[in-house]
Amino acid sequence: MPAKTGTSSQGFPYSALILGWLVPGAGHVLTGRWVRGILLFVSIGSMFALGLAMQGELYQANTSDILAMLGFAGDLGSGLFYIVGRLLDLGHGAAQIATADYGTKFVVVAGLLNFISAVDAHNLRTGRKA
């Protein structure tokens, strides 16, 4: 089977990792896997948007509670989605409906999936994965 384009390790080896973290799926697009990149962008973006639509919380950097710190790390995994969400002051209210807790988990899982996706893009870029 012929190798995909963009899998060489020429250039900055962490470009797919960083770009994949900032914009979900962009690291895969960089490695030539357009369909996978688009699917990742749509699925992670949908999870993030649905989480906010359910009035999920976006965690802030907080050193007083270990669960809040872990939630922040998960949220931060969404890259620019999280940054734009914080700039637009989204996801900050107290949970007043039952689905808000599920929404918070959707946002965190979207970030964690994006971390996995970015590492996968890095492995494709560096040739560790075919």
mmCIF file of all heavy atoms in Angstrom, residues 20-60:
data_model
loop_
_atom_site.group_PDB
_atom_site.id
_atom_site.type_symbol
_atom_site.label_atom_id
_atom_site.label_comp_id
_atom_site.label_asym_id
_atom_site.label_seq_id
_atom_site.Cartn_x
_atom_site.Cartn_y
_atom_site.Cartn_z
ATOM 1 N N GLY A 20 -3.219 20.250 15.585
ATOM 2 C CA GLY A 20 -4.316 19.349 15.934
ATOM 3 C C GLY A 20 -4.942 19.680 17.265
ATOM 4 O O GLY A 20 -6.137 19.460 17.470
ATOM 5 N N TRP A 21 -4.161 20.204 18.205
ATOM 6 C CA TRP A 21 -4.721 20.630 19.482
ATOM 7 C C TRP A 21 -5.504 21.932 19.315
ATOM 8 O O TRP A 21 -6.605 22.054 19.839
ATOM 9 C CB TRP A 21 -3.622 20.814 20.531
ATOM 10 C CG TRP A 21 -4.133 21.536 21.736
ATOM 11 C CD1 TRP A 21 -5.005 21.049 22.679
ATOM 12 C CD2 TRP A 21 -3.847 22.879 22.114
ATOM 13 N NE1 TRP A 21 -5.266 22.020 23.612
ATOM 14 C CE2 TRP A 21 -4.561 23.145 23.292
ATOM 15 C CE3 TRP A 21 -3.053 23.875 21.566
ATOM 16 C CZ2 TRP A 21 -4.509 24.376 23.940
ATOM 17 C CZ3 TRP A 21 -3.006 25.096 22.201
ATOM 18 C CH2 TRP A 21 -3.718 25.335 23.373
ATOM 19 N N LEU A 22 -4.948 22.881 18.582
ATOM 20 C CA LEU A 22 -5.631 24.167 18.429
ATOM 21 C C LEU A 22 -6.949 24.035 17.687
ATOM 22 O O LEU A 22 -7.958 24.600 18.105
ATOM 23 C CB LEU A 22 -4.728 25.174 17.705
ATOM 24 C CG LEU A 22 -3.640 25.813 18.545
ATOM 25 C CD1 LEU A 22 -2.732 26.657 17.665
ATOM 26 C CD2 LEU A 22 -4.236 26.649 19.653
ATOM 27 N N VAL A 23 -6.946 23.322 16.579
ATOM 28 C CA VAL A 23 -8.153 23.133 15.765
ATOM 29 C C VAL A 23 -8.355 21.635 15.596
ATOM 30 O O VAL A 23 -7.543 20.984 14.924
ATOM 31 C CB VAL A 23 -8.014 23.822 14.390
ATOM 32 C CG1 VAL A 23 -9.261 23.597 13.556
ATOM 33 C CG2 VAL A 23 -7.730 25.295 14.548
ATOM 34 N N PRO A 24 -9.397 21.073 16.189
ATOM 35 C CA PRO A 24 -9.606 19.628 16.070
ATOM 36 C C PRO A 24 -9.620 19.169 14.615
ATOM 37 O O PRO A 24 -10.300 19.740 13.771
ATOM 38 C CB PRO A 24 -10.981 19.423 16.724
ATOM 39 C CG PRO A 24 -11.093 20.552 17.698
ATOM 40 C CD PRO A 24 -10.408 21.716 17.033
ATOM 41 N N GLY A 25 -8.842 18.151 14.323
ATOM 42 C CA GLY A 25 -8.769 17.582 12.986
ATOM 43 C C GLY A 25 -7.743 18.228 12.076
ATOM 44 O O GLY A 25 -7.380 17.668 11.047
ATOM 45 N N ALA A 26 -7.238 19.399 12.429
ATOM 46 C CA ALA A 26 -6.304 20.105 11.560
ATOM 47 C C ALA A 26 -4.965 19.367 11.437
ATOM 48 O O ALA A 26 -4.328 19.423 10.387
ATOM 49 C CB ALA A 26 -6.067 21.520 12.062
ATOM 50 N N GLY A 27 -4.554 18.669 12.472
ATOM 51 C CA GLY A 27 -3.321 17.889 12.391
ATOM 52 C C GLY A 27 -3.442 16.755 11.382
ATOM 53 O O GLY A 27 -2.496 16.446 10.670
ATOM 54 N N HIS A 28 -4.615 16.157 11.302
ATOM 55 C CA HIS A 28 -4.833 15.097 10.323
ATOM 56 C C HIS A 28 -4.885 15.665 8.912
ATOM 57 O O HIS A 28 -4.407 15.031 7.972
ATOM 58 C CB HIS A 28 -6.103 14.329 10.659
ATOM 59 C CG HIS A 28 -5.937 13.417 11.825
ATOM 60 N ND1 HIS A 28 -6.073 13.843 13.128
ATOM 61 C CD2 HIS A 28 -5.602 12.111 11.887
ATOM 62 C CE1 HIS A 28 -5.846 12.835 13.937
ATOM 63 N NE2 HIS A 28 -5.556 11.760 13.216
ATOM 64 N N VAL A 29 -5.473 16.837 8.760
ATOM 65 C CA VAL A 29 -5.488 17.491 7.447
ATOM 66 C C VAL A 29 -4.057 17.772 7.011
ATOM 67 O O VAL A 29 -3.699 17.567 5.848
ATOM 68 C CB VAL A 29 -6.344 18.778 7.475
ATOM 69 C CG1 VAL A 29 -6.177 19.582 6.201
ATOM 70 C CG2 VAL A 29 -7.808 18.431 7.706
ATOM 71 N N LEU A 30 -3.211 18.192 7.946
ATOM 72 C CA LEU A 30 -1.812 18.469 7.647
ATOM 73 C C LEU A 30 -1.079 17.213 7.154
ATOM 74 O O LEU A 30 -0.212 17.303 6.294
ATOM 75 C CB LEU A 30 -1.111 19.043 8.884
ATOM 76 C CG LEU A 30 0.343 19.441 8.734
ATOM 77 C CD1 LEU A 30 0.461 20.656 7.810
ATOM 78 C CD2 LEU A 30 0.946 19.756 10.093
ATOM 79 N N THR A 31 -1.460 16.065 7.679
ATOM 80 C CA THR A 31 -0.811 14.815 7.263
ATOM 81 C C THR A 31 -1.458 14.197 6.027
ATOM 82 O O THR A 31 -1.062 13.111 5.611
ATOM 83 C CB THR A 31 -0.828 13.779 8.408
ATOM 84 O OG1 THR A 31 -2.184 13.462 8.725
ATOM 85 C CG2 THR A 31 -0.092 14.281 9.620
ATOM 86 N N GLY A 32 -2.445 14.868 5.452
ATOM 87 C CA GLY A 32 -3.073 14.381 4.226
ATOM 88 C C GLY A 32 -4.292 13.516 4.438
ATOM 89 O O GLY A 32 -4.821 12.960 3.490
ATOM 90 N N ARG A 33 -4.743 13.382 5.653
ATOM 91 C CA ARG A 33 -5.942 12.587 5.932
ATOM 92 C C ARG A 33 -7.139 13.526 6.083
ATOM 93 O O ARG A 33 -7.603 13.797 7.183
ATOM 94 C CB ARG A 33 -5.749 11.748 7.183
ATOM 95 C CG ARG A 33 -4.994 10.477 6.871
ATOM 96 C CD ARG A 33 -3.829 10.349 7.787
ATOM 97 N NE ARG A 33 -3.144 9.074 7.564
ATOM 98 C CZ ARG A 33 -1.913 9.020 7.153
ATOM 99 N NH1 ARG A 33 -1.257 10.114 6.871
ATOM 100 N NH2 ARG A 33 -1.313 7.873 6.998
ATOM 101 N N TRP A 34 -7.628 14.014 4.951
ATOM 102 C CA TRP A 34 -8.691 15.028 4.920
ATOM 103 C C TRP A 34 -9.992 14.528 5.538
ATOM 104 O O TRP A 34 -10.612 15.243 6.331
ATOM 105 C CB TRP A 34 -8.950 15.458 3.483
ATOM 106 C CG TRP A 34 -7.840 16.269 2.923
ATOM 107 C CD1 TRP A 34 -6.705 15.797 2.306
ATOM 108 C CD2 TRP A 34 -7.704 17.681 2.954
ATOM 109 N NE1 TRP A 34 -5.893 16.845 1.941
ATOM 110 C CE2 TRP A 34 -6.497 18.009 2.328
ATOM 111 C CE3 TRP A 34 -8.509 18.703 3.447
ATOM 112 C CZ2 TRP A 34 -6.067 19.318 2.182
ATOM 113 C CZ3 TRP A 34 -8.079 20.002 3.299
ATOM 114 C CH2 TRP A 34 -6.863 20.301 2.683
ATOM 115 N N VAL A 35 -10.400 13.342 5.155
ATOM 116 C CA VAL A 35 -11.685 12.823 5.633
ATOM 117 C C VAL A 35 -11.655 12.650 7.143
ATOM 118 O O VAL A 35 -12.585 13.069 7.844
ATOM 119 C CB VAL A 35 -12.035 11.490 4.921
ATOM 120 C CG1 VAL A 35 -13.286 10.873 5.500
ATOM 121 C CG2 VAL A 35 -12.195 11.714 3.432
ATOM 122 N N ARG A 36 -10.587 12.056 7.656
ATOM 123 C CA ARG A 36 -10.474 11.872 9.104
ATOM 124 C C ARG A 36 -10.441 13.218 9.814
ATOM 125 O O ARG A 36 -11.060 13.386 10.866
ATOM 126 C CB ARG A 36 -9.222 11.072 9.444
ATOM 127 C CG ARG A 36 -9.173 10.654 10.906
ATOM 128 C CD ARG A 36 -7.909 9.929 11.278
ATOM 129 N NE ARG A 36 -7.740 8.707 10.508
ATOM 130 C CZ ARG A 36 -6.733 7.866 10.702
ATOM 131 N NH1 ARG A 36 -5.806 8.115 11.596
ATOM 132 N NH2 ARG A 36 -6.629 6.771 9.963
ATOM 133 N N GLY A 37 -9.734 14.185 9.252
ATOM 134 C CA GLY A 37 -9.670 15.509 9.850
ATOM 135 C C GLY A 37 -11.028 16.190 9.905
ATOM 136 O O GLY A 37 -11.394 16.779 10.924
ATOM 137 N N ILE A 38 -11.782 16.087 8.823
ATOM 138 C CA ILE A 38 -13.118 16.697 8.800
ATOM 139 C C ILE A 38 -14.041 15.994 9.788
ATOM 140 O O ILE A 38 -14.801 16.649 10.520
ATOM 141 C CB ILE A 38 -13.689 16.672 7.370
ATOM 142 C CG1 ILE A 38 -12.893 17.633 6.481
ATOM 143 C CG2 ILE A 38 -15.172 17.035 7.351
ATOM 144 C CD1 ILE A 38 -13.174 17.499 5.002
ATOM 145 N N LEU A 39 -13.986 14.663 9.833
ATOM 146 C CA LEU A 39 -14.817 13.919 10.778
ATOM 147 C C LEU A 39 -14.481 14.282 12.230
ATOM 148 O O LEU A 39 -15.378 14.427 13.065
ATOM 149 C CB LEU A 39 -14.664 12.414 10.565
ATOM 150 C CG LEU A 39 -15.312 11.842 9.307
ATOM 151 C CD1 LEU A 39 -14.924 10.387 9.126
ATOM 152 C CD2 LEU A 39 -16.819 11.996 9.368
ATOM 153 N N LEU A 40 -13.204 14.432 12.522
ATOM 154 C CA LEU A 40 -12.807 14.817 13.878
ATOM 155 C C LEU A 40 -13.280 16.225 14.212
ATOM 156 O O LEU A 40 -13.779 16.475 15.313
ATOM 157 C CB LEU A 40 -11.287 14.707 14.040
ATOM 158 C CG LEU A 40 -10.758 13.290 14.157
ATOM 159 C CD1 LEU A 40 -9.245 13.273 13.988
ATOM 160 C CD2 LEU A 40 -11.163 12.690 15.487
ATOM 161 N N PHE A 41 -13.138 17.152 13.268
ATOM 162 C CA PHE A 41 -13.594 18.522 13.510
ATOM 163 C C PHE A 41 -15.089 18.557 13.785
ATOM 164 O O PHE A 41 -15.543 19.195 14.740
ATOM 165 C CB PHE A 41 -13.250 19.427 12.323
ATOM 166 C CG PHE A 41 -13.680 20.852 12.522
ATOM 167 C CD1 PHE A 41 -12.899 21.717 13.273
ATOM 168 C CD2 PHE A 41 -14.865 21.327 11.993
ATOM 169 C CE1 PHE A 41 -13.288 23.027 13.477
ATOM 170 C CE2 PHE A 41 -15.272 22.630 12.195
ATOM 171 C CZ PHE A 41 -14.477 23.488 12.942
ATOM 172 N N VAL A 42 -15.852 17.854 12.965
ATOM 173 C CA VAL A 42 -17.312 17.851 13.129
ATOM 174 C C VAL A 42 -17.722 17.177 14.433
ATOM 175 O O VAL A 42 -18.564 17.700 15.173
ATOM 176 C CB VAL A 42 -17.989 17.186 11.910
ATOM 177 C CG1 VAL A 42 -19.462 16.929 12.166
ATOM 178 C CG2 VAL A 42 -17.810 18.043 10.670
ATOM 179 N N SER A 43 -17.128 16.025 14.744
ATOM 180 C CA SER A 43 -17.547 15.301 15.947
ATOM 181 C C SER A 43 -17.120 16.011 17.227
ATOM 182 O O SER A 43 -17.934 16.167 18.153
ATOM 183 C CB SER A 43 -17.020 13.864 15.921
ATOM 184 O OG SER A 43 -15.618 13.847 15.866
ATOM 185 N N ILE A 44 -15.893 16.483 17.299
ATOM 186 C CA ILE A 44 -15.436 17.171 18.508
ATOM 187 C C ILE A 44 -16.128 18.528 18.638
ATOM 188 O O ILE A 44 -16.562 18.909 19.723
ATOM 189 C CB ILE A 44 -13.899 17.302 18.510
ATOM 190 C CG1 ILE A 44 -13.271 15.913 18.666
ATOM 191 C CG2 ILE A 44 -13.420 18.231 19.621
ATOM 192 C CD1 ILE A 44 -11.781 15.871 18.459
ATOM 193 N N GLY A 45 -16.271 19.234 17.520
ATOM 194 C CA GLY A 45 -16.982 20.511 17.551
ATOM 195 C C GLY A 45 -18.435 20.348 17.958
ATOM 196 O O GLY A 45 -18.979 21.158 18.718
ATOM 197 N N SER A 46 -19.081 19.279 17.482
ATOM 198 C CA SER A 46 -20.478 19.015 17.847
ATOM 199 C C SER A 46 -20.610 18.698 19.328
ATOM 200 O O SER A 46 -21.531 19.179 19.991
ATOM 201 C CB SER A 46 -21.037 17.856 17.029
ATOM 202 O OG SER A 46 -21.083 18.187 15.676
ATOM 203 N N MET A 47 -19.698 17.887 19.839
ATOM 204 C CA MET A 47 -19.746 17.578 21.274
ATOM 205 C C MET A 47 -19.563 18.832 22.115
ATOM 206 O O MET A 47 -20.260 19.033 23.111
ATOM 207 C CB MET A 47 -18.672 16.553 21.645
ATOM 208 C CG MET A 47 -19.038 15.146 21.340
ATOM 209 S SD MET A 47 -17.914 13.979 22.135
ATOM 210 C CE MET A 47 -18.522 14.033 23.800
ATOM 211 N N PHE A 48 -18.631 19.677 21.713
ATOM 212 C CA PHE A 48 -18.386 20.920 22.454
ATOM 213 C C PHE A 48 -19.621 21.816 22.391
ATOM 214 O O PHE A 48 -20.077 22.338 23.411
ATOM 215 C CB PHE A 48 -17.160 21.631 21.881
ATOM 216 C CG PHE A 48 -16.699 22.793 22.696
ATOM 217 C CD1 PHE A 48 -15.845 22.604 23.773
ATOM 218 C CD2 PHE A 48 -17.116 24.082 22.408
ATOM 219 C CE1 PHE A 48 -15.421 23.671 24.539
ATOM 220 C CE2 PHE A 48 -16.693 25.158 23.152
ATOM 221 C CZ PHE A 48 -15.841 24.958 24.224
ATOM 222 N N ALA A 49 -20.184 21.996 21.186
ATOM 223 C CA ALA A 49 -21.352 22.868 21.021
ATOM 224 C C ALA A 49 -22.575 22.314 21.748
ATOM 225 O O ALA A 49 -23.321 23.072 22.377
ATOM 226 C CB ALA A 49 -21.646 23.041 19.536
ATOM 227 N N LEU A 50 -22.782 20.999 21.672
ATOM 228 C CA LEU A 50 -23.913 20.403 22.386
ATOM 229 C C LEU A 50 -23.754 20.551 23.898
ATOM 230 O O LEU A 50 -24.731 20.781 24.614
ATOM 231 C CB LEU A 50 -24.063 18.928 22.012
ATOM 232 C CG LEU A 50 -24.635 18.651 20.630
ATOM 233 C CD1 LEU A 50 -24.514 17.174 20.291
ATOM 234 C CD2 LEU A 50 -26.082 19.106 20.551
ATOM 235 N N GLY A 51 -22.525 20.412 24.376
ATOM 236 C CA GLY A 51 -22.280 20.606 25.802
ATOM 237 C C GLY A 51 -22.633 22.013 26.248
ATOM 238 O O GLY A 51 -23.268 22.212 27.292
ATOM 239 N N LEU A 52 -22.256 23.004 25.457
ATOM 240 C CA LEU A 52 -22.607 24.381 25.797
ATOM 241 C C LEU A 52 -24.101 24.627 25.652
ATOM 242 O O LEU A 52 -24.701 25.369 26.433
ATOM 243 C CB LEU A 52 -21.820 25.365 24.932
ATOM 244 C CG LEU A 52 -20.325 25.472 25.227
ATOM 245 C CD1 LEU A 52 -19.673 26.476 24.287
ATOM 246 C CD2 LEU A 52 -20.067 25.842 26.671
ATOM 247 N N ALA A 53 -24.725 23.992 24.644
ATOM 248 C CA ALA A 53 -26.173 24.149 24.454
ATOM 249 C C ALA A 53 -26.955 23.559 25.621
ATOM 250 O O ALA A 53 -28.053 24.031 25.934
ATOM 251 C CB ALA A 53 -26.596 23.492 23.142
ATOM 252 N N MET A 54 -26.395 22.551 26.274
ATOM 253 C CA MET A 54 -27.036 21.967 27.463
ATOM 254 C C MET A 54 -26.686 22.747 28.728
ATOM 255 O O MET A 54 -26.906 22.266 29.831
ATOM 256 C CB MET A 54 -26.609 20.508 27.617
ATOM 257 C CG MET A 54 -27.215 19.589 26.592
ATOM 258 S SD MET A 54 -26.874 17.858 26.937
ATOM 259 C CE MET A 54 -25.336 17.606 26.083
ATOM 260 N N GLN A 55 -26.108 23.918 28.559
ATOM 261 C CA GLN A 55 -25.678 24.804 29.642
ATOM 262 C C GLN A 55 -24.568 24.191 30.487
ATOM 263 O O GLN A 55 -24.516 24.364 31.705
ATOM 264 C CB GLN A 55 -26.860 25.223 30.516
ATOM 265 C CG GLN A 55 -27.897 26.022 29.766
ATOM 266 C CD GLN A 55 -29.037 26.481 30.641
ATOM 267 O OE1 GLN A 55 -29.059 26.210 31.839
ATOM 268 N NE2 GLN A 55 -29.983 27.175 30.049
ATOM 269 N N GLY A 56 -23.674 23.474 29.823
ATOM 270 C CA GLY A 56 -22.524 22.906 30.499
ATOM 271 C C GLY A 56 -21.551 23.995 30.924
ATOM 272 O O GLY A 56 -21.521 25.085 30.354
ATOM 273 N N GLU A 57 -20.753 23.674 31.912
ATOM 274 C CA GLU A 57 -19.797 24.636 32.473
ATOM 275 C C GLU A 57 -18.446 24.510 31.785
ATOM 276 O O GLU A 57 -17.983 23.410 31.484
ATOM 277 C CB GLU A 57 -19.624 24.363 33.968
ATOM 278 C CG GLU A 57 -18.614 25.230 34.648
ATOM 279 C CD GLU A 57 -18.401 24.860 36.106
ATOM 280 O OE1 GLU A 57 -19.085 23.951 36.613
ATOM 281 O OE2 GLU A 57 -17.526 25.472 36.732
ATOM 282 N N LEU A 58 -17.790 25.642 31.551
ATOM 283 C CA LEU A 58 -16.394 25.658 31.123
ATOM 284 C C LEU A 58 -15.566 25.935 32.373
ATOM 285 O O LEU A 58 -15.704 26.974 33.003
ATOM 286 C CB LEU A 58 -16.138 26.752 30.082
ATOM 287 C CG LEU A 58 -16.683 26.527 28.681
ATOM 288 C CD1 LEU A 58 -16.361 27.718 27.794
ATOM 289 C CD2 LEU A 58 -16.114 25.266 28.085
ATOM 290 N N TYR A 59 -14.729 24.986 32.719
ATOM 291 C CA TYR A 59 -13.911 25.143 33.924
ATOM 292 C C TYR A 59 -12.849 26.215 33.735
ATOM 293 O O TYR A 59 -12.358 26.434 32.630
ATOM 294 C CB TYR A 59 -13.223 23.819 34.277
ATOM 295 C CG TYR A 59 -14.153 22.773 34.818
ATOM 296 C CD1 TYR A 59 -14.591 21.725 34.016
ATOM 297 C CD2 TYR A 59 -14.583 22.820 36.134
ATOM 298 C CE1 TYR A 59 -15.435 20.747 34.508
ATOM 299 C CE2 TYR A 59 -15.430 21.850 36.641
ATOM 300 C CZ TYR A 59 -15.851 20.821 35.825
ATOM 301 O OH TYR A 59 -16.688 19.863 36.316
ATOM 302 N N GLN A 60 -12.496 26.867 34.840
ATOM 303 C CA GLN A 60 -11.417 27.853 34.841
ATOM 304 C C GLN A 60 -10.238 27.263 35.607
ATOM 305 O O GLN A 60 -10.402 26.313 36.375
ATOM 306 C CB GLN A 60 -11.869 29.131 35.543
ATOM 307 C CG GLN A 60 -13.038 29.813 34.867
ATOM 308 C CD GLN A 60 -13.428 31.062 35.611
ATOM 309 O OE1 GLN A 60 -12.578 31.787 36.113
ATOM 310 N NE2 GLN A 60 -14.715 31.319 35.687
#
